Amino acid sequence: MAEKYYCKYCGSHYDSIAQLVGQNCYKNPDGKRHVLYEGSTQKKEYVCKHCGAHAGNIARLTGLTCPKNRNGNKHHEPAL
Ligand SMILES: [Zn+2]
Ligand SMILES: [Zn+2]
């Protein structure tokens, strides 16, 4: 199974980092491009670093709004 690279803001995944950072991310609060999620992509569960909510994958976690995220982005953000 080929390794995938995930965006920490939206959970989109790509075959290479170059592809990932070359695409616009509609959930990135302070830039336009996807930002690499640098934690393990093999986790069974991802936890929001702001509020502790968890979900089975990054896309699902970042697809929900976060009650404690004050960084401009109102969605959950996965802890590493
Ligand atoms: Zn993204
Ligand atoms: Zn959260």
Side-chain angles (χ1 to χ4, degrees):
M1 216 168 76
E3 188 168 359
K4 294 278 188 187
Y5 298 95
Y6 287 79
C7 170
K8 70 175 183 176
Y9 290 119
C10 70
S12 295
H13 48 87
Y14 295 88
D15 293 330
S16 75
I17 295 173
Q19 275 183 315
L20 185 143
V21 299
Q23 303 287 325
N24 287 333
C25 177
Y26 67 103
K27 281 188 187 159
N28 184 340
D30 44 38
K32 294 185 170 61
R33 305 302 169 101
H34 294 301
V35 176
L36 179 67
Y37 172 68
E38 296 182 84
S40 168
T41 57
Q42 309 295 324
K43 292 182 189 177
K44 289 202 176 77
E45 199 164 70
Y46 291 87
V47 180
C48 174
K49 69 182 186 182
H50 300 292
C51 73
H54 46 84
N57 62 51
I58 298 175
R60 194 166 298 165
L61 184 69
T62 58
L64 299 168
T65 53
C66 178
K68 296 236 169 79
N69 188 342
R70 295 283 178 267
N71 291 341
N73 182 340
K74 298 288 195 281
H75 296 91
H76 295 304
E77 200 176 320
L80 294 183

